[in-house]
Structures are given as C-alpha cells and as structure tokens.
Amino acid sequence: MTEENSTEFLKGAVFNAEGKEEDALPLAVMDASYIASALLCDFCSDESVESRTFMEEIISKNGQIVVPQLFWYEIGNVLLNASKQKKNGSPSRISKVQLDSITLLLGDLPIYTDSQPNGEIRGRIMHMTEEEGLSYYDAAYLELARRQNLPLKTFDEKLKLAAAKI
C-alpha cells in the first residue's frame, strides 16, 4: 500500500444487512482540539457539543477518524494538562479518575493513524507551513486531509481557513 492511498481500504464499498451496497464509510481527519473537545464536553462546560455530535455520527455509521501520528502526543498532552491544577491555584478541568476514563474511551474510538510520513510528505507539510502560515503540527493535519481528500474538523481558525481552500 502506498503513502498516497494508505486509507483507500477505508473508502471501499459498504454493504447493509440485505447485502445491498450503501454509501462509503464516513471518514474525516480530526485534529487534537476537535477530538479533545468531544472527549471533554461531558466534564467541562466550556467545550463544544458540536464535536461530540459529529463524532457520534461517524461512529454510528461505522466510520473512521483519521489522524497523523503526532495526534497521539498532542491529545495525551491536552488531556494531561486538563487534569493538572492550574498555576494560579484554580482546580483542574478534570479529575485523575476522569482522565483515566477518557483515556480508555479514546482507545475505543475508531481512529486510523496514518503511516509515518516519508520525505515527500514532510516536504509538503513544510510547504504548507510557509504557504498557509500554520505550525508544522497543524499543517500535518491539513496535508493528511488534502492527500486523502477528506474533510478536516478543527476549532483552529487558521487551520479552518486553510482547509477551506481544498
């Protein structure tokens, strides 16, 4: 399987219980901010329910969330920080027990992690950082969405604008 079609197997035909072909599985690239919001919305009043609703729709249709490898480090850091007491002394956003629960839930989500990017892909990511004014992290999500021709779900405004240019 090549880098260019590494998620092609996810785009295959879907058959219902009667054996009739249905639409392809719903797929989307989601960045860490979007998935974190979905995971934290039950615990934090400042998180959006939009992401949770979209994620539930993907899951209910046996779809797939597609992420670059760096996602796992980003989401781990976001969740860890949410469980830490703030520097100003205010309490953490989630408890350690909630962190454990969210971590287990994260492991059950239908997440496909893209393969390690080769030199060509890393070059495209670097080009996108310069062209779109994005961080290398954000450009990795954009490159993946463009390469796989998938929608990109994010709450980052610069990344949304860049994704709209697809």
Side-chain angles (χ1 to χ4, degrees), residues 21-166:
E21 189 171 351
E22 294 184 346
D23 292 334
L25 293 174
L27 299 166
V29 173
M30 295 183 197
D31 75 355
S33 71
Y34 200 82
I35 293 177
S37 181
L39 296 171
L40 294 171
C41 74
D42 287 343
F43 306 105
C44 306
S45 61
D46 61 338
E47 293 295 341
S48 170
V49 178
E50 170 200 330
S51 57
R52 177 58 150 280
T53 302
F54 184 80
M55 187 180 293
E56 287 172 348
E57 182 179 333
I58 291 258
I59 292 167
S60 72
K61 295 178 179 177
N62 294 319
Q64 196 82 42
I65 299 163
V66 183
V67 298
Q69 290 185 0
L70 71 94
F71 163 80
W72 296 104
Y73 301 97
E74 284 189 303
I75 196 70
N77 195 56
V78 168
L79 296 175
L80 183 63
N81 284 332
S83 72
K84 290 182 179 178
Q85 181 178 2
K86 295 191 168 88
K87 290 181 182 179
N88 66 7
S90 59
S92 63
R93 297 178 71 209
I94 59 173
S95 70
K96 297 293 183 189
V97 171
Q98 291 168 329
L99 173 63
D100 290 343
S101 175
I102 291 168
T103 301
L104 287 174
L105 174 63
L106 182 61
D108 289 338
L109 293 176
I111 297 176
Y112 170 81
T113 306
D114 193 46
S115 60
Q116 182 71 23
N118 62 23
E120 180 183 336
I121 291 171
R122 289 190 306 271
R124 282 197 303 260
I125 293 169
M126 188 62 74
H127 178 75
M128 287 177 188
T129 65
E130 296 164 349
E131 187 175 284
E132 304 293 345
L134 299 170
S135 69
Y136 195 85
Y137 299 113
D138 288 344
Y141 289 97
L142 180 61
E143 189 283 330
L144 177 59
R146 286 183 178 172
R147 177 168 32 98
Q148 297 299 339
N149 195 28
L150 296 174
L152 173 59
K153 300 303 255 179
T154 181
F155 289 118
D156 182 287
E157 291 304 320
K158 282 177 86 171
L159 191 50
K160 278 184 192 179
L161 287 171
K165 295 178 185 178
I166 293 178

